[in-house]
Short mmCIF file of all heavy atoms in Angstrom, two decimals:
data_model
loop_
_atom_site.label_atom_id
_atom_site.label_comp_id
_atom_site.label_asym_id
_atom_site.label_seq_id
_atom_site.Cartn_x
_atom_site.Cartn_y
_atom_site.Cartn_z
N MET T 1 32.01 35.13 100.66
CA MET T 1 32.48 36.15 99.72
C MET T 1 33.99 36.46 100.15
O MET T 1 34.28 36.59 101.24
CB MET T 1 31.72 37.39 99.87
CG MET T 1 31.95 38.47 98.79
SD MET T 1 31.01 39.97 98.81
CE MET T 1 29.27 39.51 98.82
N ALA T 2 34.79 36.65 99.09
CA ALA T 2 36.22 36.95 99.37
C ALA T 2 36.41 38.36 99.84
O ALA T 2 35.58 39.23 99.49
CB ALA T 2 37.07 36.63 98.16
N PHE T 3 37.40 38.65 100.55
CA PHE T 3 37.73 39.95 101.06
C PHE T 3 37.86 41.02 99.94
O PHE T 3 37.37 42.11 100.04
CB PHE T 3 39.00 39.98 101.89
CG PHE T 3 39.26 41.29 102.57
CD1 PHE T 3 38.44 41.71 103.54
CD2 PHE T 3 40.34 42.02 102.21
CE1 PHE T 3 38.60 42.98 104.27
CE2 PHE T 3 40.58 43.24 102.90
CZ PHE T 3 39.81 43.68 103.91
N GLU T 4 38.42 40.57 98.81
CA GLU T 4 38.52 41.52 97.58
C GLU T 4 37.08 41.87 97.18
O GLU T 4 36.83 42.95 96.65
CB GLU T 4 39.27 40.76 96.49
CG GLU T 4 40.75 40.60 96.79
CD GLU T 4 41.44 41.94 97.06
OE1 GLU T 4 41.22 42.83 96.38
OE2 GLU T 4 42.23 41.87 98.06
N ASP T 5 36.13 40.91 97.26
CA ASP T 5 34.74 41.31 96.83
C ASP T 5 34.13 42.32 97.75
O ASP T 5 33.49 43.28 97.33
CB ASP T 5 33.85 40.05 96.85
CG ASP T 5 34.28 39.11 95.85
OD1 ASP T 5 34.81 39.46 94.84
OD2 ASP T 5 34.03 37.92 96.01
N TYR T 6 34.50 42.24 99.01
CA TYR T 6 33.97 43.26 99.99
C TYR T 6 34.67 44.63 99.72
O TYR T 6 33.95 45.67 99.79
CB TYR T 6 34.33 42.80 101.44
CG TYR T 6 33.54 41.69 101.90
CD1 TYR T 6 34.04 40.48 102.28
CD2 TYR T 6 32.09 41.75 101.97
CE1 TYR T 6 33.22 39.34 102.67
CE2 TYR T 6 31.29 40.70 102.45
CZ TYR T 6 31.88 39.53 102.76
OH TYR T 6 31.11 38.48 103.14
N LYS T 7 35.91 44.59 99.43
CA LYS T 7 36.65 45.78 99.06
C LYS T 7 35.96 46.49 97.86
O LYS T 7 35.75 47.66 97.84
CB LYS T 7 38.09 45.52 98.85
CG LYS T 7 38.86 45.35 100.14
CD LYS T 7 40.36 44.91 99.93
CE LYS T 7 41.10 45.73 98.98
NZ LYS T 7 42.56 45.27 98.92
N ALA T 8 35.63 45.68 96.85
CA ALA T 8 35.02 46.26 95.75
C ALA T 8 33.54 46.80 96.05
O ALA T 8 33.22 47.88 95.58
CB ALA T 8 34.78 45.15 94.68
N GLU T 9 32.84 46.20 96.92
CA GLU T 9 31.55 46.62 97.31
C GLU T 9 31.67 47.94 98.11
O GLU T 9 30.87 48.91 97.97
CB GLU T 9 30.85 45.60 98.11
CG GLU T 9 29.32 45.84 98.30
CD GLU T 9 28.55 44.68 98.90
OE1 GLU T 9 29.02 43.53 98.72
OE2 GLU T 9 27.55 44.90 99.47
N ILE T 10 32.65 47.98 99.01
CA ILE T 10 33.00 49.21 99.77
C ILE T 10 33.32 50.38 98.82
O ILE T 10 32.85 51.49 98.96
CB ILE T 10 34.04 48.99 100.80
CG1 ILE T 10 33.46 48.06 101.93
CG2 ILE T 10 34.52 50.29 101.39
CD1 ILE T 10 34.62 47.47 102.84
N ALA T 11 34.14 50.07 97.86
CA ALA T 11 34.53 51.12 96.84
C ALA T 11 33.34 51.65 96.13
O ALA T 11 33.18 52.86 95.98
CB ALA T 11 35.60 50.55 95.90
N LEU T 12 32.38 50.76 95.76
CA LEU T 12 31.18 51.17 95.06
C LEU T 12 30.35 52.10 95.94
O LEU T 12 29.86 53.09 95.52
CB LEU T 12 30.38 49.95 94.61
CG LEU T 12 29.08 50.27 93.93
CD1 LEU T 12 29.24 51.07 92.67
CD2 LEU T 12 28.25 48.96 93.66
N LEU T 13 30.24 51.71 97.25
CA LEU T 13 29.41 52.48 98.18
C LEU T 13 30.04 53.83 98.38
O LEU T 13 29.35 54.91 98.42
CB LEU T 13 29.31 51.74 99.52
CG LEU T 13 28.52 52.32 100.64
CD1 LEU T 13 27.06 52.61 100.16
CD2 LEU T 13 28.51 51.52 101.90
N MET T 14 31.42 53.95 98.49
CA MET T 14 32.03 55.19 98.72
C MET T 14 31.88 56.08 97.49
O MET T 14 31.61 57.32 97.55
CB MET T 14 33.46 55.01 98.96
CG MET T 14 33.75 54.31 100.33
SD MET T 14 33.18 55.28 101.80
CE MET T 14 31.74 54.37 102.27
N SER T 15 31.90 55.46 96.28
CA SER T 15 31.72 56.37 95.03
C SER T 15 30.29 56.83 94.95
O SER T 15 30.08 57.97 94.51
CB SER T 15 32.11 55.51 93.73
OG SER T 15 31.20 54.54 93.57
N GLN T 16 29.35 56.12 95.44
CA GLN T 16 27.91 56.60 95.48
C GLN T 16 27.81 57.74 96.47
O GLN T 16 27.10 58.69 96.20
CB GLN T 16 26.95 55.45 95.83
CG GLN T 16 26.84 54.42 94.70
CD GLN T 16 26.04 53.22 95.12
OE1 GLN T 16 25.88 52.96 96.34
NE2 GLN T 16 25.52 52.49 94.22
N ILE T 17 28.49 57.66 97.57
CA ILE T 17 28.44 58.72 98.61
C ILE T 17 29.09 60.03 97.94
O ILE T 17 28.46 61.08 98.15
CB ILE T 17 29.19 58.40 99.84
CG1 ILE T 17 28.42 57.23 100.61
CG2 ILE T 17 29.44 59.54 100.77
CD1 ILE T 17 29.17 56.65 101.82
N ASP T 18 30.23 59.83 97.27
CA ASP T 18 30.87 61.07 96.71
C ASP T 18 30.04 61.60 95.57
O ASP T 18 29.97 62.81 95.40
CB ASP T 18 32.26 60.61 96.20
CG ASP T 18 33.29 60.47 97.29
OD1 ASP T 18 33.00 61.04 98.43
OD2 ASP T 18 34.27 59.76 97.03
N GLY T 19 29.49 60.78 94.75
CA GLY T 19 28.85 61.26 93.45
C GLY T 19 27.50 61.82 93.79
O GLY T 19 27.10 62.94 93.47
N ASP T 20 26.66 60.99 94.47
CA ASP T 20 25.16 61.44 94.77
C ASP T 20 24.80 60.78 95.95
O ASP T 20 24.44 59.61 95.96
CB ASP T 20 24.29 61.05 93.59
CG ASP T 20 22.86 61.37 93.80
OD1 ASP T 20 22.64 62.22 94.74
OD2 ASP T 20 21.95 60.82 93.12
N PRO T 21 24.89 61.49 97.19
CA PRO T 21 24.55 60.82 98.43
C PRO T 21 23.17 60.23 98.48
O PRO T 21 22.95 59.29 99.14
CB PRO T 21 24.74 61.92 99.46
CG PRO T 21 24.62 63.09 98.70
CD PRO T 21 25.06 62.87 97.27
N GLY T 22 22.22 60.79 97.67
CA GLY T 22 20.91 60.26 97.74
C GLY T 22 20.27 60.11 99.10
O GLY T 22 20.32 61.05 99.89
N ASP T 23 19.81 58.97 99.41
CA ASP T 23 19.25 58.69 100.75
C ASP T 23 20.31 58.28 101.74
O ASP T 23 20.86 57.25 101.72
CB ASP T 23 18.14 57.61 100.54
CG ASP T 23 17.43 57.36 101.85
OD1 ASP T 23 17.71 58.03 102.90
OD2 ASP T 23 16.58 56.45 101.90
N VAL T 24 20.64 59.27 102.62
CA VAL T 24 21.66 58.99 103.54
C VAL T 24 21.38 57.81 104.50
O VAL T 24 22.26 57.03 104.82
CB VAL T 24 21.97 60.29 104.42
CG1 VAL T 24 23.06 59.97 105.46
CG2 VAL T 24 22.42 61.39 103.45
N HIS T 25 20.12 57.63 104.76
CA HIS T 25 19.64 56.50 105.62
C HIS T 25 20.03 55.20 104.97
O HIS T 25 20.47 54.24 105.45
CB HIS T 25 18.23 56.53 105.95
CG HIS T 25 17.87 57.60 106.94
ND1 HIS T 25 18.12 57.40 108.30
CD2 HIS T 25 17.36 58.82 106.83
CE1 HIS T 25 17.76 58.47 108.94
NE2 HIS T 25 17.26 59.36 108.07
N GLU T 26 19.79 55.14 103.61
CA GLU T 26 20.07 53.93 102.82
C GLU T 26 21.55 53.60 102.76
O GLU T 26 21.93 52.43 102.98
CB GLU T 26 19.52 54.08 101.40
CG GLU T 26 19.85 52.99 100.46
CD GLU T 26 19.27 51.61 100.83
OE1 GLU T 26 18.15 51.59 101.47
OE2 GLU T 26 19.71 50.59 100.33
N ILE T 27 22.36 54.68 102.58
CA ILE T 27 23.81 54.55 102.54
C ILE T 27 24.27 54.02 103.99
O ILE T 27 25.08 53.07 104.10
CB ILE T 27 24.54 55.78 102.18
CG1 ILE T 27 24.20 56.10 100.69
CG2 ILE T 27 26.03 55.74 102.47
CD1 ILE T 27 24.59 57.48 100.26
N HIS T 28 23.73 54.56 104.98
CA HIS T 28 24.09 54.13 106.36
C HIS T 28 23.79 52.66 106.58
O HIS T 28 24.53 51.92 107.15
CB HIS T 28 23.37 54.99 107.32
CG HIS T 28 23.58 54.70 108.73
ND1 HIS T 28 22.44 54.35 109.56
CD2 HIS T 28 24.63 54.48 109.48
CE1 HIS T 28 22.99 54.01 110.76
NE2 HIS T 28 24.20 54.08 110.81
N MET T 29 22.52 52.28 106.21
CA MET T 29 22.20 50.88 106.37
C MET T 29 23.01 49.92 105.63
O MET T 29 23.38 48.87 106.04
CB MET T 29 20.70 50.66 106.01
CG MET T 29 19.77 51.41 107.00
SD MET T 29 20.08 51.01 108.77
CE MET T 29 19.74 49.24 108.79
N ARG T 30 23.33 50.25 104.37
CA ARG T 30 24.19 49.45 103.54
C ARG T 30 25.65 49.36 104.17
O ARG T 30 26.17 48.19 104.17
CB ARG T 30 24.33 49.93 102.13
CG ARG T 30 22.97 49.77 101.29
CD ARG T 30 23.06 50.36 99.92
NE ARG T 30 24.08 49.90 99.18
CZ ARG T 30 24.53 50.47 98.07
NH1 ARG T 30 23.94 51.55 97.61
NH2 ARG T 30 25.54 49.99 97.36
N LEU T 31 26.15 50.40 104.55
CA LEU T 31 27.56 50.35 105.18
C LEU T 31 27.50 49.52 106.48
O LEU T 31 28.33 48.65 106.70
CB LEU T 31 27.84 51.78 105.56
CG LEU T 31 29.24 51.91 106.31
CD1 LEU T 31 30.45 51.42 105.43
CD2 LEU T 31 29.57 53.32 106.81
N HIS T 32 26.43 49.71 107.31
CA HIS T 32 26.31 48.98 108.55
C HIS T 32 26.22 47.46 108.24
O HIS T 32 26.83 46.65 108.90
CB HIS T 32 25.04 49.41 109.30
CG HIS T 32 24.80 48.83 110.64
ND1 HIS T 32 25.69 49.12 111.68
CD2 HIS T 32 23.94 48.02 111.11
CE1 HIS T 32 25.30 48.41 112.76
NE2 HIS T 32 24.23 47.73 112.39
N THR T 33 25.34 47.11 107.27
CA THR T 33 25.25 45.70 106.90
C THR T 33 26.54 45.09 106.39
O THR T 33 26.92 43.90 106.73
CB THR T 33 24.14 45.50 105.79
OG1 THR T 33 22.95 46.03 106.28
CG2 THR T 33 23.95 44.14 105.32
N LEU T 34 27.23 45.88 105.54
CA LEU T 34 28.49 45.33 104.95
C LEU T 34 29.50 45.15 106.04
O LEU T 34 30.22 44.10 106.09
CB LEU T 34 28.97 46.30 103.90
CG LEU T 34 30.30 45.96 103.21
CD1 LEU T 34 30.19 44.60 102.54
CD2 LEU T 34 30.65 47.02 102.23
N LEU T 35 29.63 46.12 106.93
CA LEU T 35 30.70 45.95 108.09
C LEU T 35 30.37 44.92 109.00
O LEU T 35 31.22 44.20 109.50
CB LEU T 35 30.85 47.30 108.77
CG LEU T 35 31.37 48.47 107.85
CD1 LEU T 35 31.63 49.73 108.68
CD2 LEU T 35 32.62 48.12 107.15
N ASN T 36 28.97 44.68 109.30
CA ASN T 36 28.54 43.55 110.17
C ASN T 36 28.93 42.25 109.52
O ASN T 36 29.28 41.28 110.19
CB ASN T 36 27.08 43.66 110.48
CG ASN T 36 26.85 44.63 111.57
OD1 ASN T 36 27.78 44.93 112.34
ND2 ASN T 36 25.59 45.04 111.78
N THR T 37 28.84 42.19 108.17
CA THR T 37 29.16 40.95 107.48
C THR T 37 30.69 40.62 107.54
O THR T 37 31.08 39.54 107.88
CB THR T 37 28.69 41.03 106.02
OG1 THR T 37 27.31 41.29 105.96
CG2 THR T 37 29.07 39.79 105.27
N LEU T 38 31.46 41.65 107.43
CA LEU T 38 32.94 41.53 107.61
C LEU T 38 33.25 40.98 109.04
O LEU T 38 34.03 40.10 109.17
CB LEU T 38 33.67 42.89 107.40
CG LEU T 38 33.71 43.39 105.97
CD1 LEU T 38 34.39 44.81 106.00
CD2 LEU T 38 34.50 42.43 105.08
N ARG T 39 32.64 41.67 110.00
CA ARG T 39 32.86 41.20 111.46
C ARG T 39 32.41 39.79 111.62
O ARG T 39 33.21 39.03 112.27
CB ARG T 39 32.00 42.13 112.35
CG ARG T 39 32.54 43.60 112.45
CD ARG T 39 31.69 44.42 113.34
NE ARG T 39 32.11 45.78 113.36
CZ ARG T 39 31.41 46.76 112.79
NH1 ARG T 39 30.22 46.65 112.33
NH2 ARG T 39 31.95 47.95 112.86
N ALA T 40 31.28 39.36 111.04
CA ALA T 40 30.79 38.03 111.23
C ALA T 40 31.77 36.96 110.58
O ALA T 40 31.82 35.82 111.11
CB ALA T 40 29.41 37.95 110.63
N GLU T 41 32.37 37.45 109.54
CA GLU T 41 33.31 36.45 108.90
C GLU T 41 34.77 36.59 109.44
O GLU T 41 35.68 35.90 108.88
CB GLU T 41 33.31 36.72 107.45
CG GLU T 41 31.92 36.38 106.84
CD GLU T 41 31.98 36.36 105.28
OE1 GLU T 41 33.04 36.47 104.62
OE2 GLU T 41 30.81 36.29 104.80
N GLY T 42 34.94 37.42 110.46
CA GLY T 42 36.28 37.53 111.05
C GLY T 42 37.25 38.37 110.18
O GLY T 42 38.47 38.20 110.45
N LEU T 43 36.76 39.16 109.34
CA LEU T 43 37.66 39.95 108.39
C LEU T 43 37.78 41.31 109.06
O LEU T 43 36.97 41.76 109.85
CB LEU T 43 36.96 40.07 107.07
CG LEU T 43 36.85 38.78 106.23
CD1 LEU T 43 36.02 39.02 105.01
CD2 LEU T 43 38.24 38.23 105.90
N PRO T 44 38.96 41.96 108.72
CA PRO T 44 39.18 43.24 109.37
C PRO T 44 38.32 44.34 108.83
O PRO T 44 37.94 44.38 107.71
CB PRO T 44 40.68 43.55 108.97
CG PRO T 44 40.85 42.77 107.67
CD PRO T 44 40.03 41.60 107.86
N VAL T 45 37.87 45.21 109.75
CA VAL T 45 37.08 46.37 109.40
C VAL T 45 38.01 47.60 109.38
O VAL T 45 38.65 47.91 110.32
CB VAL T 45 35.96 46.57 110.38
CG1 VAL T 45 35.18 47.92 110.05
CG2 VAL T 45 35.06 45.46 110.39
N PRO T 46 38.16 48.21 108.17
CA PRO T 46 39.04 49.42 108.17
C PRO T 46 38.58 50.48 109.15
O PRO T 46 37.47 50.78 109.33
CB PRO T 46 38.87 49.95 106.69
CG PRO T 46 38.44 48.72 105.86
CD PRO T 46 37.53 48.02 106.87
N ASP T 47 39.65 51.10 109.79
CA ASP T 47 39.40 52.05 110.86
C ASP T 47 38.54 53.23 110.38
O ASP T 47 37.67 53.68 111.01
CB ASP T 47 40.74 52.63 111.42
CG ASP T 47 41.41 51.55 112.20
OD1 ASP T 47 40.82 50.57 112.67
OD2 ASP T 47 42.66 51.82 112.40
N ASP T 48 38.79 53.73 109.09
CA ASP T 48 38.07 54.89 108.59
C ASP T 48 36.61 54.55 108.39
O ASP T 48 35.72 55.39 108.70
CB ASP T 48 38.73 55.51 107.36
CG ASP T 48 38.90 54.56 106.26
OD1 ASP T 48 38.78 53.26 106.46
OD2 ASP T 48 39.22 54.93 105.12
N LEU T 49 36.27 53.26 107.97
CA LEU T 49 34.92 52.91 107.75
C LEU T 49 34.22 52.71 109.02
O LEU T 49 33.01 53.00 109.23
CB LEU T 49 34.82 51.68 106.79
CG LEU T 49 35.30 51.90 105.48
CD1 LEU T 49 35.18 50.67 104.60
CD2 LEU T 49 34.48 53.01 104.73
N ARG T 50 34.88 52.11 110.03
CA ARG T 50 34.38 51.99 111.37
C ARG T 50 34.08 53.38 111.97
O ARG T 50 32.96 53.52 112.49
CB ARG T 50 35.35 51.23 112.35
CG ARG T 50 34.67 50.90 113.65
CD ARG T 50 35.73 50.56 114.70
NE ARG T 50 36.52 51.75 115.05
CZ ARG T 50 37.83 51.86 114.89
NH1 ARG T 50 38.50 50.81 114.54
NH2 ARG T 50 38.46 52.97 115.10
N ASP T 51 34.96 54.26 111.78
CA ASP T 51 34.73 55.67 112.20
C ASP T 51 33.49 56.28 111.53
O ASP T 51 32.64 56.93 112.22
CB ASP T 51 35.99 56.49 112.08
CG ASP T 51 37.07 56.07 112.94
OD1 ASP T 51 36.92 55.30 113.86
OD2 ASP T 51 38.25 56.54 112.68
N LEU T 52 33.43 56.04 110.30
CA LEU T 52 32.29 56.68 109.58
C LEU T 52 30.95 56.01 110.02
O LEU T 52 29.91 56.69 110.27
CB LEU T 52 32.44 56.36 108.07
CG LEU T 52 31.23 56.83 107.11
CD1 LEU T 52 30.96 58.26 107.31
CD2 LEU T 52 31.53 56.31 105.68
N GLU T 53 30.94 54.73 110.29
CA GLU T 53 29.82 53.99 110.74
C GLU T 53 29.42 54.56 112.13
O GLU T 53 28.22 54.89 112.37
CB GLU T 53 30.03 52.53 110.91
CG GLU T 53 28.86 51.73 111.45
CD GLU T 53 29.27 50.26 111.74
OE1 GLU T 53 30.40 50.00 112.18
OE2 GLU T 53 28.33 49.45 111.53
N GLU T 54 30.40 54.80 113.09
CA GLU T 54 30.01 55.29 114.37
C GLU T 54 29.50 56.73 114.24
O GLU T 54 28.60 57.10 114.98
CB GLU T 54 31.35 55.31 115.19
CG GLU T 54 31.74 53.88 115.60
CD GLU T 54 33.10 53.81 116.35
OE1 GLU T 54 33.70 54.83 116.50
OE2 GLU T 54 33.46 52.71 116.67
N TYR T 55 30.11 57.52 113.28
CA TYR T 55 29.62 58.91 113.18
C TYR T 55 28.17 58.86 112.68
O TYR T 55 27.36 59.64 113.23
CB TYR T 55 30.50 59.65 112.18
CG TYR T 55 29.96 60.99 111.69
CD1 TYR T 55 30.16 62.12 112.56
CD2 TYR T 55 29.20 61.16 110.51
CE1 TYR T 55 29.55 63.30 112.25
CE2 TYR T 55 28.66 62.35 110.29
CZ TYR T 55 28.93 63.44 110.99
OH TYR T 55 28.38 64.68 110.70
N LEU T 56 27.88 58.02 111.68
CA LEU T 56 26.45 58.02 111.16
C LEU T 56 25.53 57.47 112.22
O LEU T 56 24.42 57.94 112.35
CB LEU T 56 26.42 57.15 109.89
CG LEU T 56 27.12 57.73 108.66
CD1 LEU T 56 27.16 56.77 107.53
CD2 LEU T 56 26.46 59.06 108.31
N ASP T 57 25.96 56.47 113.01
CA ASP T 57 25.16 55.96 114.07
C ASP T 57 24.77 57.13 115.08
O ASP T 57 23.67 57.22 115.47
CB ASP T 57 25.86 54.88 115.04
CG ASP T 57 25.94 53.57 114.17
OD1 ASP T 57 25.28 53.41 113.14
OD2 ASP T 57 26.78 52.67 114.60
N ARG T 58 25.75 57.99 115.41
CA ARG T 58 25.51 59.09 116.34
C ARG T 58 24.60 60.05 115.67
O ARG T 58 23.68 60.61 116.35
CB ARG T 58 26.82 59.76 116.74
CG ARG T 58 27.60 58.99 117.71
CD ARG T 58 28.71 59.86 118.31
NE ARG T 58 29.58 60.49 117.31
CZ ARG T 58 30.62 59.90 116.70
NH1 ARG T 58 30.97 58.73 117.02
NH2 ARG T 58 31.29 60.57 115.81
N GLN T 59 24.74 60.32 114.41
CA GLN T 59 23.89 61.32 113.72
C GLN T 59 22.43 60.87 113.70
O GLN T 59 21.52 61.64 113.99
CB GLN T 59 24.37 61.52 112.24
CG GLN T 59 25.70 62.31 112.21
CD GLN T 59 25.62 63.60 112.85
OE1 GLN T 59 24.78 64.47 112.45
NE2 GLN T 59 26.54 63.95 113.68
N PHE T 60 22.22 59.62 113.41
CA PHE T 60 20.83 59.10 113.31
C PHE T 60 20.22 58.80 114.62
O PHE T 60 18.99 58.92 114.81
CB PHE T 60 20.75 57.89 112.38
CG PHE T 60 21.00 58.24 110.92
CD1 PHE T 60 22.08 57.72 110.35
CD2 PHE T 60 20.25 59.07 110.29
CE1 PHE T 60 22.40 58.07 109.02
CE2 PHE T 60 20.51 59.50 108.97
CZ PHE T 60 21.58 58.93 108.30
N SER T 61 21.05 58.59 115.70
CA SER T 61 20.46 58.34 116.98
C SER T 61 20.04 59.65 117.61
O SER T 61 19.13 59.63 118.45
CB SER T 61 21.49 57.54 117.91
OG SER T 61 22.53 58.46 118.25
N THR T 62 20.61 60.74 117.20
CA THR T 62 20.22 62.07 117.82
C THR T 62 19.30 62.77 116.88
O THR T 62 18.91 63.95 117.19
CB THR T 62 21.51 62.91 118.01
OG1 THR T 62 22.11 63.16 116.79
CG2 THR T 62 22.47 62.26 119.00
N GLY T 63 18.94 62.20 115.76
CA GLY T 63 18.05 62.83 114.83
C GLY T 63 18.76 63.87 113.99
O GLY T 63 18.06 64.64 113.30
N GLY T 64 19.95 63.89 114.01
CA GLY T 64 20.78 64.93 113.25
C GLY T 64 21.14 64.50 111.80
O GLY T 64 21.56 65.34 110.99
N GLY T 65 20.88 63.32 111.42
CA GLY T 65 21.19 62.89 110.05
C GLY T 65 20.17 63.23 109.09
O GLY T 65 19.07 63.65 109.40
N GLY T 66 20.52 63.07 107.77
CA GLY T 66 19.47 63.20 106.78
C GLY T 66 19.89 64.08 105.62
O GLY T 66 19.45 63.85 104.52
N ASP T 67 20.88 64.99 105.85
CA ASP T 67 21.23 65.71 104.72
C ASP T 67 22.80 65.75 104.64
O ASP T 67 23.45 65.55 105.57
CB ASP T 67 20.74 67.19 104.62
CG ASP T 67 21.26 68.13 105.72
OD1 ASP T 67 22.17 67.75 106.40
OD2 ASP T 67 20.67 69.22 105.83
N ARG T 68 23.31 66.01 103.53
CA ARG T 68 24.72 65.98 103.26
C ARG T 68 25.49 66.90 104.13
O ARG T 68 26.68 66.70 104.48
CB ARG T 68 25.02 66.19 101.75
CG ARG T 68 26.48 66.17 101.39
CD ARG T 68 26.85 64.82 100.99
NE ARG T 68 28.25 64.94 100.45
CZ ARG T 68 28.91 63.89 100.12
NH1 ARG T 68 28.41 62.70 100.26
NH2 ARG T 68 30.06 64.05 99.77
N GLY T 69 24.88 68.04 104.54
CA GLY T 69 25.54 69.04 105.42
C GLY T 69 25.93 68.51 106.76
O GLY T 69 26.81 69.02 107.40
N ASP T 70 25.28 67.41 107.30
CA ASP T 70 25.71 66.95 108.58
C ASP T 70 26.83 66.01 108.48
O ASP T 70 27.48 65.67 109.53
CB ASP T 70 24.51 66.08 109.19
CG ASP T 70 23.38 67.04 109.54
OD1 ASP T 70 23.61 68.23 109.77
OD2 ASP T 70 22.27 66.52 109.70
N ALA T 71 27.13 65.49 107.34
CA ALA T 71 28.22 64.49 107.23
C ALA T 71 29.62 65.10 107.19
O ALA T 71 29.90 66.23 106.98
CB ALA T 71 27.98 63.61 105.93
#
């Protein structure tokens, strides 16, 4: 997949977070999968998305994730 395709997928994911966060675990897993794919292909991971991934990782590892108020 081309980097532009990844950027479009990231934009879609971010708009879903802004519009209706729905299942935060699902969003976390999709973001994690997308960023791991970028890493595997040697593409750059934007700092803000890496930071978001790390934040969500911490939230879910401590049991603090799950509602929009924690994000």
Side-chain angles (χ1 to χ4, degrees):
M1 192 181 302
F3 188 66
E4 293 301 317
D5 294 332
Y6 290 117
K7 285 174 46 179
E9 194 168 336
I10 290 168
L12 176 63
L13 181 60
M14 293 297 108
S15 69
Q16 289 173 340
I17 291 171
D18 284 339
D20 178 16
D23 183 1
V24 178
H25 288 280
E26 174 68 21
I27 292 168
H28 175 239
M29 293 308 300
R30 288 177 55 199
L31 177 65
H32 186 69
T33 299
L34 180 60
L35 297 184
N36 279 343
T37 302
L38 287 173
R39 291 177 184 114
E41 294 190 11
L43 296 170
V45 174
D47 290 340
D48 56 347
L49 294 179
R50 187 199 65 239
D51 293 345
L52 175 60
E53 178 187 37
E54 290 172 0
Y55 172 79
L56 291 172
D57 286 346
R58 284 191 309 274
Q59 291 299 306
F60 291 118
S61 70
T62 62
D67 69 10
R68 181 89 175 172
D70 289 341

